[in-house]
Amino acid sequence: MAKGQPLQFDLDADDLKLFSEEAAEQLELLDNALVQLEGEPEPDLVQQIFRAAHTLKGSSATIGHKRMASLTHVMETVLDQVRQGKKRPSSDMVDALLAGLDALRVLADEVQTRVESAVDIEPLIADLNAVLNAEDAPDEVEPAPAAVSALVLPGEIAAALAAATDQGKNPFLIEVAIAASCQLPSIRCYQLLQELDALAEVGFTRPDRATIESGSAEFELIAVVASTQNDEQLTAAISSISDVETAKVRHLADSLTAPIALSASSKAEQPGTGRKPQVSLVEDDSPSQGTAAAAPARKVAQSVRIDVERLDGLMNLVGELVIDRTRLQQIREQLSGMLKNANLNELTENFEETTSHLARVTDELQDQIMRSRMLPVRSVLTRLPRLVRDVAAKCGKKVDLVTAGEETELDRSVIEEISDPLVHILRNAVDHGIESPEERRAAGKPETGVVSVTAWNQETYIYLAVKDDGKGIDTKTLRRKAVERGLVSAEVAEAATEDTVLQYIFLPGLSTAKTLSDVSGRGVGMDIVRTNIERLNGQVRVKSTPGQGSEITIQLPLTLATTKALMVTANDTVYALPLVSVTEALAESEADMHLVGGRRTLRLRGKLLTVIDLAGALGDSRPRQLNRERYVVAARHSERQVAFLVDRLLGEQDVVVKSLGDLIGNRKGLTGATILGDGTLGLIIDSASLIAEQAPTAATA
């Protein structure tokens, strides 16, 4: 078939959605896990990668995607060699697997587009076969460990089974193999465990009960049980479960404290890792696993997939409910005084109780809906090891990536927006920050540099910090480059503090790269970072120590659906100033105001801040009353500070963010709107853009 021709797959709309979601999950898992495969991989990691490849092969074959199934089959074969200890992962192997993974992403998209891509899988399959056929160095791969031929039960499990035997139950060794064609072996293992729980007292399982219930089991289950059933009844019950290939039930007549021999056909070997095989599966002094007498069964987490559009619809409805709650509370305050004056105390109490309960329920509903939109930041961090590996290879550097806080949660809308900024920051950290192995040796550092990405929550914000142990940022070069490019004047650059100069990395068109490459050198990366972060009402800060490294911290709101704001009025219009940028507010009569160069300026804590009339800056040219007390709100963006002049301060409030819509469109200085408690419209200020338009903050006065 010619490239670009329509494709047909054996699946309906529901199956298409299921395939796409499952493929995305498995591809993301492979992207992260394959990078960790080099060196001495853990058996669990090898098994996890093999399972993901096997799942992709099965699902693609089921819908008739032959090219995807063929490629995943060869990848699975390579991984199976690693799993059996016949091959040790090498750089060439990981490169070939990652190239195959990139192709799989495109092939998976074909199921959505139904148009054949230009991906040629033949060279990829040839590279994978070359890895299979390549001979490892004699001392590189140790022989695969021998199969574990016996298991020793922990003392407490053996005692519990012996007690059950005294009560008339018989001990059995059960060995079950799931068919290799089964696409969901973990579910079959869980079904087997449930069946055994119904028929017997389960003393020991391998994998252990927690692994089975978490959905991480594989194609084999071994169990030691005590039951009133006989071996034929147990065999019949187990064999009735789908995808069970073999089921062996053997009565244990010998002492349970002696090693229990396993069948020769049992797939009990561990993946080759260069480690000596263990003779017993569980040490005698280890905690008991899988026994009902020792610990209660772990509850299996339940989850359900839901369309993002449906979640967005629910969030919009909750937003409307929050607005009505606020309006109702205002009405309650207005009516309370009137009702009390009319001596209607009982009616007043009932009304206040009802509105308070509605507010409580609305808050809880909003919290639950928000939690349903939250995802762990792990979904972003898992994509980064591959990026660091590729960039380090291109730059000829050795870099380890360390991540922390993977379980930190934030709104899925924010997650979708932070991927690009993180990519730019990491590329710069590897290319500009980490030195070459030779430079690091000369500086007394290990050859391998370390880049860490840490995520954490604090109040209503999430923080992402990218830190490296490289050479730090050369502020002298930054000053010179900024002046050469005409981005700042020589006088401003000379007078700027070190912290101010560090912010120059975010100037458009500024790069300190000595040569232009596909990694860096065009001066657009960090400018994009700041633009994207500020568009989300976030901030980005940079710190650096020469010779020790740099750290860039991103601060973002946990959600874009609501935001904390300082409510103000300017020329009879209500505005919401995001609290993340507000530093303090004071009355104009108490402010230390001056005229500097013909412009109103506020002297605040040793600095001179340009005063901006908020209404005028937003294009409001209506006549205004100037004979009333006004207020000054100091706000910060990056290293710049200004003071907004407003008419009134209405207090802090959580506001529901609404789009300005097509009728209004994008307006200078505005990011959205909100409905207030009295039903009026409030406009949300884009303080970052208004502040950025002003001249740099004046020097200390």
Side-chain angles (χ1 to χ4, degrees):
M1 181 182 292
K3 305 303 180 192
Q5 293 299 308
L7 295 173
Q8 297 294 328
F9 298 107
D10 184 19
L11 75 175
D12 57 23
D14 291 337
D15 291 337
L16 171 62
K17 181 181 176 183
L18 182 62
F19 171 84
S20 299
E21 290 174 344
E22 182 181 58
E25 289 177 1
Q26 302 303 329
L27 290 170
E28 183 175 324
L29 186 155
L30 286 172
D31 201 359
N32 181 45
L34 284 175
V35 177
Q36 304 176 38
L37 190 62
E38 287 182 87
E40 293 284 346
E42 292 293 330
D44 289 345
L45 176 67
V46 177
Q47 198 77 342
Q48 184 184 42
I49 297 173
F50 178 82
R51 183 169 63 247
H54 180 79
T55 301
L56 282 173
K57 184 185 78 169
S59 57
S60 58
T62 300
I63 66 172
H65 198 325
K66 296 181 179 179
R67 293 203 299 161
M68 190 172 180
S70 298
L71 180 55
T72 49
H73 173 72
V74 183
M75 293 174 67
E76 181 188 40
T77 303
V78 173
L79 293 167
D80 189 47
Q81 293 287 298
V82 177
R83 192 172 64 145
Q84 296 182 43
K86 297 178 180 178
K87 285 282 183 184
R88 175 169 295 181
S90 63
S91 295
D92 290 341
M93 177 187 292
V94 174
D95 288 340
L97 289 170
L98 288 173
L101 175 63
D102 291 337
L104 288 179
R105 291 188 186 279
V106 180
L107 294 174
D109 288 340
E110 290 181 351
V111 183
Q112 288 278 1
T113 63
R114 302 299 174 99
V115 176
E116 187 172 6
S117 65
V119 170
D120 186 359
I121 66 171
E122 296 304 324
L124 301 173
I125 291 176
D127 290 342
L128 290 166
N129 284 326
V131 170
L132 280 173
N133 297 328
E135 292 187 6
D136 293 317
D139 59 343
E140 184 177 349
V141 178
E142 297 182 15
V148 177
S149 58
L151 60 87
V152 177
L153 297 178
E156 58 268 34
I157 292 181
L161 289 172
T165 302
D166 293 340
Q167 297 171 7
K169 297 180 181 180
N170 296 314
F172 293 95
L173 171 67
I174 298 174
E175 299 172 86
V176 184
I178 308 296
S181 59
C182 176
Q183 296 185 29
L184 299 170
S186 59
I187 293 179
R188 298 302 180 222
C189 280
Y190 181 63
Q191 286 180 285
L192 284 166
L193 181 59
Q194 288 184 311
E195 185 71 20
L196 290 176
D197 281 336
L199 298 172
E201 181 176 330
V202 181
F204 172 86
T205 65
R206 194 197 69 188
D208 60 62
R209 182 180 289 271
T211 300
I212 296 172
E213 292 179 344
S214 68
S216 301
E218 282 297 323
F219 293 87
E220 182 190 54
L221 174 66
I222 296 175
V224 179
V225 306
S227 176
T228 56
Q229 306 278 337
N230 60 36
D231 54 353
E232 292 182 356
Q233 290 171 318
L234 290 174
T235 301
I238 294 170
S239 300
S240 66
I241 296 176
S242 301
D243 296 318
V244 171
E245 187 172 65
T246 61
K248 298 178 182 179
V249 180
R250 177 157 50 96
H251 184 266
L252 296 176
D254 300 328
S255 171
L256 292 171
T257 59
I260 301 173
L262 300 176
S263 301
S265 59
S266 176
K267 304 173 184 177
E269 67 273 4
Q270 298 173 334
T273 61
R275 301 188 180 117
K276 294 182 179 180
Q278 297 179 355
V279 177
S280 61
L281 299 180
V282 182
E283 297 294 338
D284 286 341
D285 57 353
S286 66
S288 60
Q289 301 180 50
T291 174
R298 181 179 298 179
K299 184 178 179 181
V300 181
Q302 300 293 324
S303 62
V304 62
R305 296 184 187 274
I306 183 170
D307 287 339
V308 178
E309 291 182 2
R310 185 169 297 178
L311 271 181
D312 290 340
L314 287 173
M315 193 65 229
N316 287 333
L317 291 175
V318 171
E320 297 296 330
L321 189 58
V322 170
I323 293 169
D324 287 340
R325 176 203 64 188
T326 306
R327 295 187 64 182
L328 190 57
Q329 288 174 329
Q330 288 190 355
I331 294 172
R332 181 194 66 183
E333 293 172 0
Q334 295 169 1
L335 288 178
S336 291
M338 299 170 59
L339 293 174
K340 287 177 180 177
N341 292 336
N343 200 24
L344 299 174
N345 292 333
E346 184 177 354
L347 179 60
T348 301
E349 291 176 2
N350 289 339
F351 185 69
E352 291 183 349
E353 181 181 344
T354 302
T355 52
S356 297
H357 180 262
L358 175 63
R360 212 163 42 243
V361 172
T362 302
D363 288 340
E364 292 178 6
L365 178 60
Q366 183 184 22
D367 181 66
Q368 292 300 321
I369 293 295
M370 287 300 303
R371 288 180 182 276
S372 69
R373 290 175 54 90
M374 304 295 271
L375 291 175
V377 75
R378 178 181 59 248
S379 58
V380 175
L381 300 186
T382 51
R383 309 171 194 170
L384 304 181
R386 170 80 182 278
L387 168 74
V388 171
R389 179 185 186 273
D390 291 346
V391 175
K394 289 181 180 179
C395 298
K397 298 176 180 179
K398 298 179 180 179
V399 183
D400 284 340
L401 176 67
V402 179
T403 60
E406 291 91 344
E407 299 305 318
T408 303
E409 291 187 333
L410 69 163
D411 195 295
R412 64 187 309 130
S413 59
V414 180
I415 280 185
E416 293 168 358
E417 298 288 347
I418 64 174
S419 180
D420 283 348
L422 271 180
V423 166
H424 285 302
I425 292 174
L426 273 176
R427 289 168 71 93
N428 270 7
V430 175
D431 187 29
H432 292 300
I434 301 296
E435 310 95 328
S436 66
E438 296 77 19
E439 291 174 321
R440 292 182 67 85
R441 283 198 303 269
K445 296 182 179 180
E447 285 190 356
T448 302
V450 177
V451 177
S452 64
V453 182
T454 307
W456 71 94
N457 285 342
Q458 186 173 325
E459 297 179 343
T460 58
Y461 297 98
I462 181 175
Y463 294 84
L464 288 162
V466 180
K467 186 176 182 179
D468 67 74
D469 66 347
K471 59 189 175 184
I473 298 175
D474 185 351
T475 53
K476 290 184 179 180
T477 302
L478 268 181
R479 290 178 199 265
R480 178 172 53 82
K481 289 281 187 179
V483 174
E484 289 177 356
R485 296 293 179 88
L487 301 174
V488 296
S489 66
E491 294 77 12
V492 170
E494 185 66 28
T497 64
E498 291 292 294
D499 287 341
T500 300
V501 173
L502 287 175
Q503 306 306 315
Y504 289 174
I505 67 172
F506 299 113
L507 294 176
L510 182 65
S511 173
T512 58
K514 296 179 180 179
T515 58
L516 182 66
S517 69
D518 58 350
V519 175
S520 62
R522 301 183 185 275
V524 295
M526 298 307 291
D527 177 40
I528 291 175
V529 167
R530 188 170 69 174
T531 300
N532 288 353
I533 296 302
E534 290 171 353
R535 182 166 50 83
L536 301 175
N537 287 327
Q539 294 187 355
V540 56
R541 303 181 183 89
V542 58
K543 296 190 300 183
S544 183
T545 303
Q548 297 182 25
S550 305
E551 181 177 13
I552 294 179
T553 304
I554 297 173
Q555 176 188 351
L556 287 168
L558 286 177
T559 176
L560 302 182
T562 62
T563 186
K564 285 188 176 296
L566 174 65
M567 309 303 296
V568 302
T569 62
N571 204 20
D572 296 326
T573 300
V574 180
Y575 296 102
L577 279 166
L579 272 181
V580 66
S581 61
V582 175
T583 57
E584 58 187 293
L586 64 160
E588 183 182 16
S589 59
E590 300 174 357
D592 187 6
M593 307 287 279
H594 301 271
L595 274 179
V596 177
R599 301 187 65 176
R600 295 192 70 185
T601 305
L602 169 68
R603 187 197 302 271
L604 183 65
R605 304 192 186 285
K607 289 184 176 293
L608 295 177
L609 279 60
T610 300
V611 177
I612 302 174
D613 179 74
L614 183 60
L618 295 172
D620 186 348
S621 57
R622 295 176 298 165
R624 64 197 68 183
Q625 298 179 1
L626 300 178
N627 57 350
R628 55 187 174 186
E629 175 75 286
R630 295 198 292 179
Y631 296 85
V632 180
V633 180
R636 174 189 296 275
H637 161 62
S638 186
E639 292 300 305
R640 298 185 180 184
Q641 284 185 286
V642 300
F644 291 115
L645 194 61
V646 301
D647 295 337
R648 283 194 301 154
L649 303 179
L650 303 180
E652 298 178 11
Q653 184 176 323
D654 286 328
V655 298
V656 179
V657 180
K658 299 285 188 180
S659 170
L660 289 174
D662 296 333
L663 293 178
I664 299 179
N666 293 327
R667 293 288 301 273
K668 169 191 170 185
L670 300 177
T671 60
T674 187
I675 307 297
L676 304 178
D678 59 359
T680 59
L681 183 71
L683 300 176
I684 302 174
I685 299 298
D686 179 9
S687 52
S689 65
L690 292 180
I691 298 173
E693 289 180 353
Q694 305 305 311
T697 302
T700 301

